[in-house]
Amino acid sequence: MVSQFGSLGYTIMGKTADLTVVQKTIIDTLHKEGEPQTFIAKEAGCSQSAVSKHVNRKLSGRKKCGRKRCTTNRENHSLERLVKQNSRIQEFG
């Protein structure tokens, strides 16, 4: 049953964020059956490292991409308020 999904005729290689719901289901099912990660990767059509990351729940995915925020929402609100107050004060030197 599971091998039908794995033989779609194309291979999607990528990180864990690129795994489809079907691939994740295949990985979970085969992992519960005790299959090795290399076999799971071939059946799911992804890399062995993607299987490993999914099984170990290291799913940071694309949510943590980019630079870390320096300010909180509260600080942003305070800065916005200060900028609006200072824009009313037009000081020319």
Side-chain angles (χ1 to χ4, degrees):
M1 178 177 116
V2 177
S3 62
Q4 291 175 351
F5 294 115
S7 59
L8 292 174
Y10 62 92
T11 302
I12 301 172
M13 300 294 281
K15 298 179 182 174
T16 306
D18 298 329
L19 293 176
T20 63
V21 176
V22 174
Q23 287 175 317
K24 290 177 184 179
T25 306
I26 293 170
I27 292 170
D28 291 336
T29 305
L30 291 176
H31 180 69
K32 286 178 185 175
E33 292 176 1
E35 298 292 341
Q37 289 183 357
T38 52
F39 177 77
I40 296 171
K42 288 178 185 176
E43 290 295 312
C46 63
S47 65
Q48 185 270 329
S49 62
V51 172
S52 177
K53 288 177 183 176
H54 179 74
V55 168
N56 294 327
R57 303 289 185 230
K58 294 179 182 175
L59 301 176
S60 59
R62 302 200 187 272
K63 295 177 185 175
K64 300 212 179 215
C65 290
R67 186 176 175 131
K68 186 177 177 183
R69 293 184 61 96
C70 295
T71 59
T72 62
N73 287 335
R74 183 176 182 160
E75 290 171 333
N76 288 341
H77 183 68
S78 298
L79 284 171
E80 186 178 333
R81 192 175 66 244
L82 284 171
V83 168
K84 287 181 181 178
Q85 286 176 355
N86 289 337
S87 68
R88 293 183 196 138
I89 304 170
Q90 294 183 359
E91 187 175 330
F92 295 103

